[in-house]
Amino acid sequence: MSTATGTATAVRDGVGASTARPDGRLKVKGDFAYSSDLRAEGMVWGATLRSPHPSARIVRLDTSAALRLPGVLAVLTHEDVPGRATYGMKVPDQPVLAADRVRYQGEPVALVAADHPETARRALALIDVAYEERSALTDPEEAVRGTGPLVHTERVDGKHGNVVRHVRIRHGDVAAARAEADVIVSGTYEVGMQDQAFLGPESGLAIPAEDGGVDVYVSTQWLHDDQHQMCAALGLPPDKVRLTMSGVGGAFGGREDVSVQIHAAMLALRTGRPVKMSYNREESFYGHVHRHPARMWFEHGATREGRIVFVRARLLFDGGAYTSTSQVVIANGSYFAAGAYDVPHAEIDGWSVFTNNPPCGAMRGFGVESNLDKLAGELGVNPVELRIRNAMTTGTVLPTGQAVDGPAPAAELLERLRARPLPGVGEGAFGNPGGLNNTSRGEGIRRGVGYAIGVKAIGFSGGVDDRSIARVRLVLNGGEPVAEVHTAAAECGQGIVTVQTQIVRTELGVERVVVLPADTRVGDAGSSSASRITWMSGGAVQGACKALRERITELGNDRPLAELLTEVGPLEAEYEYAHRRTFPVDDERGQGDAHIAFAFAAHRAVVDVDTELGLVKVVELATAQDVGKAMNPLAVAGQIEGGSAQGLGLAVMEELRVEAGRLRNPSFTDYLIPTIADMPHVPIELLELPHPDSPYGLNGVGEPPTLSSTPAIANALRAATGLELAKVPVRPEHIVVAAEGR
């Protein structure tokens, strides 16, 4: 790994300290306590009855037989929801439990609490539900045209129809720019529904409290937003609904939405017993949102010299049955549809829509740029050279009218990848395409090289008042100063616990640092999403430490800290960090200063393809990324490798198959994710160009690799085969059928 380093404040590990994640060894050994490992005295088990239909009216719901089963403590339906009947991150349009109708296969209908998980499952089978199936809307094109049935006849947001949001961006004058274009190319591309495929399924433990409230231990990405939704559904104030972060087995956007939280709390409050809920893997596929499947049309116009003069795009994202974060997802997809390029004229329309397909929401990043290779072919220009010629720089004006005011090293990232030696023939693990099975004999193998670059907004955008709170306390323990850090930042595997420790050691010079469990007893940290948590919670911890330093100076810092704490007792400071203001884009032209920062990542993929069998081997997936400041280089590398692996999965294997609204492959037997046999060598080049607005100059890291890894692999496959391959994941039959029909 090579590094180009700008100027930034050094962040200390601390004497004798390690920046390895404290949970790393436990997870490798199998000793880490996930939320599914929670236990409590007197605990009972909760389970969920789900709809088998994508669209139906509930005509009968009889729980009497289930209630008579020995060992069953409670059976709850929509009539038992004590507060608001619906919830949702952005729009509260999702029923806690379905009342008169269901809108997707897997929608929760009833809950059971029993003394054993098997008893709970038997009780679910005894609940008598009669459905009258309704026509299901499963084609997002029908949703846009308004020709299909309404998924919501009465929408909570007061709107009508199946369009969740239409984002309209008009920048420059595309009509005039068309006259300047010597070459115009267009193409339609599809992205399948991808699952976050996290390690630990949804689980949690709810314990009723003597004050009439409930304590909930759960794995999530945003404790306070969960609390907000739970309070509304439970009819309780925030001081009666207390959440504590439990061990998370990955998230990637899939834990932003509520899953077991409200249900477990309802059962605990009804039974007066601790209730544990833990989905099995199949139920997990139904129990959380997925990446939006998308259909995208792009048109690029360029001069003969290879300068892009305009881009037109039409994006259609299938959000499934409920809003979740579809409004935000389509906004980000539309804002950056023109890619990491200087595009003077753009017309972009993005729609997210309701269907009776499984709900979709956040998942690590947004982006596509495959039409660039088609343009390069028409111009007779090398694809990476075309990208470099048009790469955005600091000062480039985005299609939303905002000028990029931080580092924008798009061209440098591509140059670094182009300069890397290509792997030799036969390099990489497990031989030819077909891997360990030795399927391919090698007669029809073709090699391809593909490039892609992506740009990602960091943090909450579009006028959201993004803030994060941290509390730092200095105490004496055994005669030594100890710093206690308390935030609600969700540790989802990105390493925020380690970074908080580093910041405290840097700012206070205290080696013994304890990061307290994240919970709702401290102020809101915001979501561990949008690649924001290290920036925002890191800034809050830094601010609290600086406030403590000022207090120490006032008290006299010319003596040892231990002596000072002995005299005055513990010292504590709380700090609320906020980034600079952002603004929403206008509805008519989509213009506005919506973002605080941008992150760039590029990939070069080398693939071998057996064109006769359709088998693919990704030989190498080299990447270059600007990370601002690598607070923890080991963790940064891990995030980049993980994001690249998810991009590889989307490119060649991962897709949830939905037919007529029904999920066909809800298991890791049929939904394939990359294994060690599929992962290539991932050489990483880090650029450290400190961002002027962030703590220590850091920038978001986890999401950008997913933007460029998938299109780089897709472009390499096209280069190897000469085929259009306009849908990802690219499956063997796509290659074989397209080759035969050519």
Side-chain angles (χ1 to χ4, degrees):
M1 183 191 302
S2 61
T3 305
T5 307
T7 58
T9 304
V11 180
R12 302 171 58 215
D13 293 350
V15 177
S18 170
T19 53
R21 280 171 36 188
D23 58 340
R25 185 180 297 273
L26 294 171
K27 286 180 176 176
V28 170
K29 293 175 63 180
D31 294 333
F32 183 77
Y34 295 98
S35 55
S36 57
D37 296 316
L38 295 170
R39 297 285 190 278
E41 186 176 354
M43 181 182 80
V44 297
W45 296 81
T48 309
L49 180 70
R50 298 180 180 274
S51 165
H53 306 295
S55 180
R57 188 171 71 89
I58 299 174
V59 296
R60 185 179 65 254
L61 177 55
D62 184 354
T63 63
S64 57
L67 280 167
R68 290 194 298 268
L69 184 68
V72 171
L73 283 76
V75 181
L76 305 183
T77 68
H78 69 95
E79 296 178 345
D80 301 299
V81 179
R84 189 174 66 195
T86 57
Y87 69 95
M89 285 194 68
K90 304 298 179 184
V91 176
D93 62 354
Q94 190 157 354
V96 174
L97 292 169
D100 57 345
R101 64 167 300 176
V102 292
R103 295 180 175 87
Y104 72 96
Q105 182 194 26
E107 181 157 4
V109 175
L111 305 173
V112 167
D115 59 4
H116 190 277
E118 182 56 36
T119 304
R121 285 191 287 270
R122 290 171 58 202
L124 293 181
L126 292 174
I127 298 175
D128 179 19
V129 188
Y131 297 95
E132 180 184 278
E133 288 194 65
R134 296 292 182 89
S135 177
L137 175 65
T138 59
D139 184 352
E141 293 285 357
E142 286 192 41
V144 168
R145 292 194 301 265
T147 57
L150 289 176
V151 177
H152 298 269
T153 53
E154 295 183 9
R155 287 176 53 171
V156 174
D157 57 9
K159 298 179 181 178
H160 186 74
N162 289 319
V163 174
V164 178
R165 183 177 183 182
H166 173 208
V167 178
R168 172 186 167 93
I169 297 173
R170 298 293 184 269
H171 182 67
D173 187 342
V174 169
R178 290 184 71 89
E180 303 175 21
D182 299 308
V183 174
I184 298 175
V185 299
S186 64
T188 300
Y189 306 91
E190 293 188 39
V191 177
M193 183 185 292
Q194 186 182 19
D195 189 74
Q196 293 85 351
F198 34 63
L199 179 65
E202 294 79 357
S203 54
L205 177 67
I207 302 176
E210 293 182 357
D211 65 356
V214 62
D215 294 286
V216 180
Y217 301 82
V218 69
S219 54
T220 178
Q221 291 180 242
W222 193 349
L223 287 164
H224 282 81
D225 197 75
D226 288 1
Q227 182 190 45
H228 172 74
Q229 295 177 68
M230 292 177 68
C231 286
L234 298 175
L236 293 173
D239 65 327
K240 294 291 183 68
V241 181
R242 299 167 290 266
L243 276 72
T244 299
M245 190 74 176
S246 296
V248 178
F252 318 116
R255 298 190 199 274
E256 277 201 296
D257 295 74
V258 165
S259 57
V260 302
Q261 290 91 319
I262 298 174
H263 293 164
M266 284 175 56
L267 290 170
L269 291 169
R270 172 61 67 91
T271 63
R273 302 270 293 273
V275 173
K276 177 177 179 175
M277 297 192 77
S278 184
Y279 295 169
N280 62 26
R281 182 58 66 180
E282 180 179 359
E283 186 174 14
S284 178
F285 275 101
Y286 292 103
H288 66 259
V289 296
H290 314 287
R291 181 188 292 280
H292 289 69
R295 299 174 187 171
M296 296 169 283
W297 173 84
F298 290 91
E299 184 180 69
H300 285 77
T303 65
R304 184 62 60 190
E305 293 73 32
R307 291 290 179 184
I308 298 173
V309 292
F310 78 87
V311 171
R312 295 173 62 213
R314 178 186 186 271
L315 315 179
L316 177 56
F317 288 8
D318 183 352
Y322 295 102
T323 301
S324 182
T325 55
S326 285
Q327 299 166 320
V328 177
V329 172
I330 192 59
N332 279 279
S334 301
Y335 296 158
F336 299 101
Y341 306 105
D342 185 353
V343 177
H345 307 278
E347 287 184 2
I348 299 164
D349 286 282
W351 286 272
S352 59
V353 297
F354 290 122
T355 66
N356 292 114
N357 294 321
C360 292
M363 183 178 176
R364 253 194 177 175
F366 322 87
V368 66
E369 66 146 2
S370 292
N371 210 48
L372 263 291
D373 274 27
K374 182 179 287 189
L375 178 61
E378 288 293 322
L379 290 168
V381 177
N382 184 282
V384 70
E385 176 60 32
L386 178 66
R387 287 171 168 82
I388 291 170
R389 289 182 193 177
N390 292 280
M392 64 169 59
T393 62
T394 302
T396 293
V397 177
L398 301 172
T400 55
Q402 179 174 355
V404 177
D405 60 355
E412 182 177 356
L413 296 174
L414 291 164
E415 291 277 16
R416 284 170 172 258
L417 290 177
R418 181 167 64 172
R420 289 190 62 86
L422 289 166
V425 176
E427 288 189 26
F430 305 114
N432 289 328
L436 294 172
N437 293 325
N438 195 28
T439 307
S440 173
R441 299 304 177 90
E443 293 89 346
I445 293 178
R446 303 288 182 269
R447 172 159 289 192
V449 179
Y451 290 84
I453 186 165
V455 57
K456 170 75 173 68
I458 301 301
F460 293 158
S461 302
V464 175
D465 187 19
D466 195 0
R467 296 175 180 270
S468 184
I469 296 171
R471 186 183 303 146
V472 179
R473 189 168 186 257
L474 286 170
V475 299
L476 278 180
N477 189 327
E480 293 184 52
V482 176
E484 296 177 346
V485 188
H486 195 186
T487 75
E491 172 60 84
C492 302
Q494 79 278 45
I496 187 60
V497 169
T498 302
V499 169
Q500 290 178 101
T501 303
Q502 291 177 266
I503 291 173
V504 172
R505 289 186 178 129
T506 297
E507 299 294 337
L508 296 179
V510 175
E511 301 303 332
R512 294 180 61 187
V513 180
V514 176
V515 178
L516 300 176
D519 57 37
T520 52
R521 294 184 300 116
V522 68
D524 194 354
S527 177
S528 284
S529 62
S531 294
R532 63 175 288 282
I533 203 69
T534 302
W535 182 318
M536 298 301 297
S537 285
V541 171
Q542 183 188 40
C545 289
K546 287 182 176 179
L548 274 177
R549 284 211 320 262
E550 292 173 2
R551 178 64 176 148
I552 291 169
T553 299
E554 293 171 0
L555 294 170
N557 63 347
D558 55 346
R559 49 186 164 157
L561 182 57
E563 183 180 317
L564 178 63
L565 293 174
T566 299
E567 178 181 324
V568 303
L571 297 174
E572 182 177 288
E574 186 170 288
Y575 187 83
E576 182 178 54
Y577 178 86
H579 62 59
R580 75 185 188 197
R581 187 180 178 190
T582 63
F583 302 89
V585 301
D586 69 87
D587 292 336
E588 182 61 28
R589 296 185 62 83
Q591 302 296 288
D593 289 347
H595 311 293
I596 60 165
F598 309 92
F600 295 82
H603 278 81
R604 184 192 70 188
V606 180
V607 304
D608 284 344
V609 184
D610 187 320
T611 55
E612 296 176 351
L613 299 177
L615 300 175
V616 173
K617 173 189 172 186
V618 182
V619 178
E620 183 184 81
L621 192 55
T623 181
Q625 183 169 333
D626 171 30
V627 300
K629 170 64 182 176
M631 301 285 283
N632 183 345
L634 183 63
V636 165
Q639 288 286 291
I640 293 173
E641 290 170 350
S644 299
Q646 287 184 320
L648 181 148
L650 180 58
V652 296
M653 59 182 68
E654 292 188 48
E655 183 178 16
L656 283 169
R657 305 297 298 275
V658 180
E659 297 175 7
R662 288 179 164 82
L663 191 57
R664 295 304 188 190
N665 57 333
S667 77
F668 285 152
T669 301
D670 303 303
Y671 180 88
L672 303 181
I673 60 175
T675 69
I676 192 171
D678 302 300
M679 278 303 295
H681 181 45
V682 184
I684 301 172
E685 293 206 35
L686 297 185
L687 269 69
E688 292 189 273
L689 304 177
H691 196 280
D693 294 330
S694 70
Y696 308 104
L698 65 86
N699 208 350
V701 172
E703 292 180 276
T706 63
L707 303 181
S708 49
S709 50
T710 297
I713 294 170
N715 288 337
L717 292 173
R718 295 187 191 99
T721 63
L723 302 173
E724 184 74 13
L725 301 177
K727 183 182 187 301
V728 293
V730 177
R731 298 195 295 271
E733 61 265 31
H734 295 161
I735 296 171
V736 173
V737 171
E740 290 175 348
R742 192 167 51 178

